[in-house]
Amino acid sequence: MNDRHIIRGGPRDRHVYEYAVLRVVPRVERGECVNAGILVYCRAEAYVGARTHLDEMRLLALDPRADVAGVRAALRAVESLCAGGSAAGQAASDDPGRRFRWLVAPRSTIVQPGPVHTGLTTDPAAETDRLLDLLVR
């Protein structure tokens, strides 16, 4: 088959991407969590992105004393780090892969990354939005 006949968005235009769900774990001892965001990394497109959505009612149902403002600040910090530039602070000069790996490293804070999964996409930014709607909202 001649390459001129490949339709845009076909199998050859798809790239491997990795993603993790950001979860809020208000009380670690109870093991309960609320999905609050998505991290996506696509090496081929040099893309790292995050989208967040905090369902405050769900969080407060798990822990009425949860620090909602603190959780929102942590989620904004993740989005800023992914966006790069001056908002990313010291990580601004890091490549997207390094920022993603740092964000998905296990940690024992209230906002934690879930396991990393993979997929194929033609548009990593659109995939980030799709995963947010599918797994968080």
Side-chain angles (χ1 to χ4, degrees), residues 13-75:
D13 290 327
R14 295 188 304 174
H15 301 289
V16 173
Y17 71 93
E18 299 173 69
Y19 74 95
V21 175
L22 288 173
R23 12 180 222 206
V24 178
V25 185
R27 295 179 57 191
V28 175
E29 71 276 9
R30 291 179 58 165
E32 300 167 329
C33 66
V34 174
N35 291 349
I38 294 292
L39 293 167
V40 171
Y41 169 58
C42 180
R43 181 178 176 193
E45 296 288 321
Y47 172 87
V48 64
R51 302 287 188 280
T52 62
H53 172 80
L54 180 61
D55 186 328
E56 192 174 311
M57 299 280 284
R58 280 188 192 172
L59 176 59
L60 292 173
L62 294 180
D63 183 0
R65 297 177 300 165
D67 180 4
V68 175
V71 170
R72 287 193 188 283
L75 293 171

Side-chain angles (χ1 to χ4, degrees), residues 76-101:
R76 278 192 308 272
V78 169
E79 289 179 326
S80 294
L81 193 95
C82 288
S86 62
Q90 291 180 313
S93 62
D94 288 342
D95 65 77
R98 185 175 173 118
R99 291 193 312 252
F100 179 77
R101 297 282 171 245

